[in-house]
């Protein structure tokens, strides 16, 4: 019986059959190296699998945030030229057309582009929305664009790393001073406790229909905790104020900035609880091009005055965002999204006391084997008042 | 686990085992098992450097370290020209690092040994001129009190001087390789970055690295020792050596774990199955509530997994339970669980007050059971198995159950479950995702819904369907009697007819015309009164029953067929099965056959719509591959 990952967003290596619909499409043939092509092909095939699109559109938090952001920036979109990077079924392109865009170039490498083309025709938008079936790196258009819109975010923001395609599009096709939606993105991290999950996956084996199956526990732990899990937790599971792992400005970020991200963190536990692991999530903001991000955000004090930053990047625990800014958040505190949260479990829970310091560093790095995979290396240390505590490492791969 | 197997062989019931073969077989069994329990054994006293496995020979141990832990003792010794004391210190150094959950070569520290074992990776390039990590003389002190490895690791200098079979040409090649090695090692990082030139160098030196490996084995191994060069082994070593040049990559982490824990990835499915209440209750009920069947019976559990059915059988009073499991890891786990619950048959408990258990776990394919234990033909009272797959037959173990039945079941013996039936029913629009795509934020995306239809008209979907979406009566498609059926009966063709479901809610009969978009298949298995005299039971995976982990299997028609109840008079025009002329029944042949791909099945469907005046409309045959 199958052991299929629950998450639809993950690579589903299902072969897609183009449905025999022949629409006038511009197909661009990728010209890059064959190796990269292969990796891309399976990725793009998985994206033409329709269940994913259904799931993404049904994620109202996501789709509504985009629609609101497009309507909010209508003055910058109306009568302008838009590029939708990775348009999927074309829903964002339609929103832009609705907001008055003069033309939308909707770029999509997977076979879903064929359906997107028909969707535009069925909704009488074929003259405004031009579907370009190909990779954004390969397409050619005759004008620069005023706006780039894309839903490029993956788990922990960067898994599947479609941001590099957005960066490519920005550098090649965006007019100076153009708008990028979303404009900014932040990765957060916090330790969590999740007794229910631990009970159901691990302690489950202690009593199965009255039978002691503890022998399964080591295996069950390996099975459940070796790789990062995509699960939904709530604010009550989070033990501390979150720490910001990375803040990205889509107007300025470069592809090389995404290859490896290392940040030190320091948490002070707000409660006494068993710590089961570390949770990661992200949010994205939809700002205009003029906003200078470092000044638009203030820092919350959280009682951990001893917090120090040693790698030079600013450590904001939690940014206050004005009501003016539209934020799509995948935080455990907010309504669940299809991104859920990414949980890195430790093999053994650790009992932390109130005010206990948990510190260390985390590295998110593009996997060398497949650039859409992500290596996560977590170093952590539990400090007691007297000692510095022993430092441990946990390595895992999001695949 | 091997021990249990052996002891089982020795148990009274099977004394007619041929004695001469025993030693030979014992040895064989030993090799199958790399999951030694902590029971001491004179032939297995070399403790692995990294995990708790024990081995009977140093070479097997080093092979294990190389394959499972990326620690290639021989090539490290060779690469850094370690003498006897250097090798001696290396072993003690690694043991001391591992005891602290530290990586022996990069020094990272882990919270537990599992984290460390996940992390272990081939040695990176050490500075040849620099000091070794194990330089310190305190590593001359054995880390473990009694470590037989230290006097057996094969660094005998006499043998190194032995010219053996090395010819000049090989020595020359070795020198060339040695020159290249440090360079390659330093290039480790660029290899990872996909530097093409380095990769090319790699390919060129492939054959040479293999050569040096063979040389190395000749150096370290004792000529009289039991080193066996199997061709496949060699290939493996070659690959391993190449891996040892690169730093750890995802793939390697993955590979090492896969090798290590075998099928551990499927543990999730075991939890899912054990959490499947319908499944568990049916089997538990059959085994615990039918004492006239189970009490004092000999039970054979085919594909025991965690062993839960065997445990139920033992609880139900079986006098002997043979639990057969092909997966090495699951067999080990089942053994442990049976033992933890005091239900494992074990000679060592004999003579003690505690009554020995009755479960014997045997790790093998049931077809090969005779090679491992002796079970008299026609000596088993009850065969129990949870063999059902999706759509009953996909990846099912039915053939193994039938094999076991024909070989070991007593005449008149029981099979649990003893019947299996496949059912089908038609479903409506709500069972598809078509409605969703018709209105997406006010936009018409129905073209995507059509695509879904086309896609699923050749690929079945395994999912649950809401019983409210079912528009036809249920049709029994095919039944199997496990007692009498033959292996070839697994491939069958049946005909069935689907008629509109007459449904009345609060006395009002609902829609009399419905579109049928496809059909859903499910199965039930019976633990009938034929054997379960006290309490027969039934396991259903129907959409009308609580969900099970089998879900249902959904087959989509190429186009919807409009159905109406027979009292509506259809117009004589228009195609049958359309709004103008609804069908009164859908008739179809269905074939389910094992496909050429292992344990996969093909389903073919030939739907035909029948109008009230007897006209027929057929669609081309649809083939689904599950």
């Amino acid at each position: 019986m199958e052991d299929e990952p629950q998450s639809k967003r993950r690579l589903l290596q299902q072969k897609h059959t183009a449905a025999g619909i022949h629409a006038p499409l511009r197909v661009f043939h990728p010209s890059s190296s064959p190796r990269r092509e292969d990796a891309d092909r399976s990725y793009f095939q998985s994206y033409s699998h329709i269940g994913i699109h259904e799931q993404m559109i049904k994620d109202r938090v996501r789709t509504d945030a985009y629609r609101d952001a497009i309507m909010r920036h209508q003055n910058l979109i109306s009568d302008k030229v838009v590029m939708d990077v990775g348009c999927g079924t074309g829903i964002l392109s339609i929103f832009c057309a609705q907001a008055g865009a003069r033309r939308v170039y909707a770029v999509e490498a997977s076979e879903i582009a064929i359906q997107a083309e028909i969707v535009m025709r069925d909704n009488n938008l074929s003259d405004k929305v031009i579907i370009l079936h190909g990779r954004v790196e390969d397409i050619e258009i005759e004008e620069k664009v005023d706006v780039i819109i894309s839903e490029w975010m993956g788990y922990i923001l960067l898994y599947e790393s479609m941001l590099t395609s957005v960066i490519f599009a920005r550098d090649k096709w965006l007019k100076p001073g153009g708008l990028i939606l979303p404009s900014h993105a932040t990765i957060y991290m916090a330790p969590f406790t999740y007794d229910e999950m631990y009970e159901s996956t691990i302690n489950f084996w202690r009593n199965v229909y009255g039978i002691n199956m503890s022998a399964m526990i080591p295996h069950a732990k390996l099975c459940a905790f070796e790789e990062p899990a995509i699960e939904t937790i709530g604010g009550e599971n989070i033990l501390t104020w979150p720490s910001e792992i990375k803040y990205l400005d889509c107007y300025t970020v470069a592809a090389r900035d995404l290859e490896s991200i290392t940040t030190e963190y320091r948490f002070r536990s707000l409660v006494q609880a068993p710590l089961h692991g570390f949770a990661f999530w992200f949010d994205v903001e939809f700002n205009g091009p003029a906003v200078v991000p470092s000044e638009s955000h203030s820092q919350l004090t959280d009682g951990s005055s001893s917090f120090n930053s040693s790698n030079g990047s600013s450590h904001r625990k939690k940014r206050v965002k004005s009501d003016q800014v539209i934020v799509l958040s995948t935080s455990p505190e907010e309504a669940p999204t299809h991104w859920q949260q990414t949980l890195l479990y430790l093999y053994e829970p650790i009992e932390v006391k109130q005010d206990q310091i948990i510190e260390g560093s985390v590295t998110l790095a593009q996997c060398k084997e497949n650039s859409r995979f992500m290596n996560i290396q977590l170093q952590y240390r539990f400090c007691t008042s007297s000692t510095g505590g022993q430092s441990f490492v946990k390595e895992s791969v999001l695949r | 686990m091997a021990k249990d197997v052996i002891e089982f062989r020795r148990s009274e019931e099977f004394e007619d085992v041929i004695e001469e073969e025993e030693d030979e077989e014992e040895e064989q069994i030993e090799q199958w098992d790399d999951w030694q329990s902590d029971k001491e054994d004179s032939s297995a006293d070399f403790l692995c450097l990294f995990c708790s496995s024990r081995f009977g020979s140093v070479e097997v141990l080093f092979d294990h370290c190389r394959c499972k832990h990326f620690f290639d003792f021989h090539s490290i010794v060779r690469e850094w020209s370690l003498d006897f004391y250097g090798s001696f210190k290396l072993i003690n150094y690694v043991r001391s690092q591992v005891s602290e959950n530290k990586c022996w070569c990069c020094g990272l520290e882990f919270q537990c040994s599992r984290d460390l074992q996940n992390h272990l990776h081939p040695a990176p390039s050490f500075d040849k001129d620099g000091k070794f990590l194990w330089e310190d003389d305190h590593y001359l002190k054995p880390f473990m009190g009694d470590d037989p490895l230290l006097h057996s690791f094969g660094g005998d200098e006499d043998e190194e001087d032995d010219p053996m079979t090395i010819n000049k040409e090989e020595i020359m090649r070795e020198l060339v390789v040695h020159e290249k090695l440090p360079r390659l090692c330093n290039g480790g990082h660029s290899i990872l970055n996909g530097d093409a030139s380095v990769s090319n160098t790699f390919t060129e030196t492939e054959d040479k690295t293999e050569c040096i490996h063979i040389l190395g084995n000749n150096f370290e191994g004792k000529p009289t020792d039991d080193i066996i060069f199997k061709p496949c082994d060699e290939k493996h070593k070659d690959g391993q050596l190449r891996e040892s040049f690169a730093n750890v990559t995802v793939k390697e982490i993955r590979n090492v774990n896969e090798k290590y824990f075998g099928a551990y990835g499927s543990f999730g499915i075991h939890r899912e199955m054990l959490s499947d209440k319908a499944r568990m209750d049916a089997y538990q009920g059959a085994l615990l509530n039918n004492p006239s069947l189970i009490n004092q019976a000999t039970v054979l559990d085919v594909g025991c997994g965690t062993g839960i059915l065997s445990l139920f059988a033992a609880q139900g009073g079986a006098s002997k339970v043979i639990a057969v499991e092909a997966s090495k890891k699951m067999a080990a786990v089942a053994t442990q669980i049976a033992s933890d619950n005091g239900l494992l048959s074990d000679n060592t408990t004999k003579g003690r007050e505690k009554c020995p258990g009755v479960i014997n776990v045997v790790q093998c394919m049931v077809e090969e059971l005779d090679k491992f234990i002796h079970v008299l033909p026609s000596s088993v009272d009850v065969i129990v198995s949870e063999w059902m797959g999706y759509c009953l037959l996909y990846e099912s173990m039915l053939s193994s159950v039938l094999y076991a039945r024909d070989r070991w079941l007593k005449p008149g013996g029981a099979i649990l479950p003893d019947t299996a039936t496949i059912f089908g029913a038609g479903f409506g629009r709500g069972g598809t995702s078509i409605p969703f795509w018709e209105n997406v934020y006010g936009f018409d995306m129905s073209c995507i819904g059509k695509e879904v239809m086309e896609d699923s008209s050749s690929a079945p979907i395994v999912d649950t369907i809401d019983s409210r979406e079912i528009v036809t009566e249920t049709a029994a498609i095919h039944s199997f009697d496990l007692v009498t059926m033959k292996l070839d009966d697994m491939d069958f063709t049946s005909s069935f007819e689907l008629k509109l479901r007459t449904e009345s809610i609060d006395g009002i009969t609902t829609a009399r015309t419905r579109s049928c978009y496809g059909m859903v298949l499910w199965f039930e298995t019976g633990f009938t009164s034929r054997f379960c005299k006290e309490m027969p039971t039934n396991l259903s995976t129907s959409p009308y029953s609580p969900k099970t982990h089998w879900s249902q299997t959904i087959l989509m028609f190429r186009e919807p067929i409009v159905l109406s109840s027979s009292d509506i008079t259809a117009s004589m025009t228009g195609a049958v099965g359309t709004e103008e002329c609804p069908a009164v029944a859908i008739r179809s042949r269905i074939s389910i056959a094992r496909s050429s791909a292992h344990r996969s099945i093909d389903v073919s469907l030939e739907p035909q719509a029948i109008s009230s005046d007897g006209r027929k409309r057929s669609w081309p045959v649809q083939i689904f591959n599950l």
Side-chain angles (χ1 to χ4, degrees), chain B residues 460-506:
Chain B
I461 303 164
V462 175
D463 201 351
T464 51
I465 201 156
D466 192 313
S467 61
R468 284 169 299 189
E469 309 301 345
I470 294 196
V471 298
T472 73
E473 300 290 345
T474 296
I477 287 176
H478 197 77
S479 288
F480 297 102
D481 181 346
L482 276 287
V483 178
T484 56
M485 76 175 286
K486 296 185 182 64
L487 184 61
D488 287 342
D489 297 341
M490 278 178 74
D491 307 326
F492 69 87
T493 301
S494 299
S495 295
F496 62 91
E497 192 171 278
L498 297 174
K499 287 194 163 162
L500 197 67
R501 176 179 167 194
T502 47
E503 203 179 6
S504 59
I505 300 163
D506 300 332

Side-chain angles (χ1 to χ4, degrees), chain B residues 158-451:
Chain B
D158 291 349
E159 270 147 29
E160 233 168 305
D161 291 337
D162 191 336
M164 300 209 3
T165 55
I166 307 160
N167 62 36
K168 274 183 191 166
E169 197 194 348
E170 277 174 331
I171 292 171
M172 285 306 289
R173 287 172 78 183
E174 191 202 6
L175 287 173
V176 173
V177 174
H178 260 311
E179 259 173 38
K180 260 182 176 165
L181 281 180
R183 246 186 29 234
L184 277 175
C185 290
N186 292 333
H189 286 285
S190 33
I191 290 164
L192 280 181
N193 293 337
D195 187 319
S197 64
V198 180
S199 302
N200 286 341
T201 327
F202 242 51
T203 328
E204 282 165 26
T205 50
E206 238 178 81
D207 53 337
K208 290 164 191 166
T209 55
E210 185 175 0
C211 146
I212 150 174
H213 216 287
I214 297 165
L215 278 173
N217 270 301
N218 284 340
F219 274 133
E220 263 100 39
K222 296 166 193 162
T224 52
D225 229 315
D226 53 348
I227 308 167
I228 305 153
F229 286 98
K230 295 178 196 157
C232 61
D233 230 37
E234 224 32 65
K235 199 174 155 194
H236 201 77
K237 275 174 182 159
D238 181 25
Q240 199 65 35
L241 193 63
R242 252 178 295 149
E243 273 177 50
S244 74
F245 291 126
N247 259 318
V248 66
T249 68
V250 188
K251 198 175 169 189
E252 286 159 3
I253 294 179
R254 187 74 180 172
N255 283 349
V256 74
N257 281 327
E258 267 167 12
K259 281 186 223 153
Y260 219 138
F261 300 101
Y264 86 91
S266 58
F267 272 71
I269 191 76
H270 285 289
R271 182 164 67 94
E272 201 186 333
M273 291 193 297
L274 293 172
S275 306
D276 184 338
K277 200 171 178 314
R279 167 187 184 272
M280 292 291 282
D281 287 351
Y283 279 93
Q284 188 189 30
L287 292 165
L288 294 189
N289 299 330
N290 292 288
S292 69
L293 177 67
I294 302 298
N295 205 21
Q296 293 306 308
T298 298
V299 177
L300 176 62
D301 179 355
V302 179
C304 73
T306 56
I308 185 77
L309 303 186
S310 295
L311 295 159
F312 284 151
Q315 265 181 350
S319 64
K320 175 156 70 185
V321 182
I322 305 162
V324 184
E325 171 58 46
S327 150
K328 192 193 284 184
K329 290 299 168 251
M330 286 317 297
V333 162
T335 305
Q336 185 66 46
I337 289 171
S339 162
D340 289 349
N341 289 277
L343 293 170
L344 188 69
S345 164
D346 190 345
N347 283 353
T348 57
T349 55
K350 231 180 206 172
R352 294 186 203 168
E353 275 180 45
K354 198 182 160 195
C355 186
V358 296
I359 298 177
N360 305 277
V361 179
V362 187
Q363 187 239 310
C364 68
M365 306 276 290
V366 76
E367 289 81 356
E368 297 175 345
L369 187 61
D370 277 334
K371 293 185 189 167
F372 296 82
I373 62 165
H374 187 79
V375 182
L376 283 171
S378 308
S379 67
V380 168
D381 300 302
V382 179
I383 290 176
V384 64
S385 178
E386 197 275 75
W387 51 267
M388 299 85 76
Y390 294 129
C391 197
L392 189 67
L393 297 172
Y394 175 69
E395 286 194 343
S396 93
M397 290 191 300
L398 182 54
S399 58
S400 299
V401 173
L402 298 180
Y403 180 92
R405 177 196 68 186
D406 294 341
R407 189 157 180 83
W408 293 293
L409 192 65
K410 272 182 193 167
I415 299 188
L416 297 181
D418 60 317
T419 63
T421 307
I422 298 175
F423 295 94
F427 59 86
R429 204 177 158 73
T432 70
S433 63
I434 293 166
F436 169 80
W437 292 107
E438 283 179 345
N439 181 347
V440 178
Y441 281 74
F443 299 102
D444 173 13
M445 296 200 178
S446 51
C447 68
I448 296 174
K450 283 187 198 127
E451 165 86 358

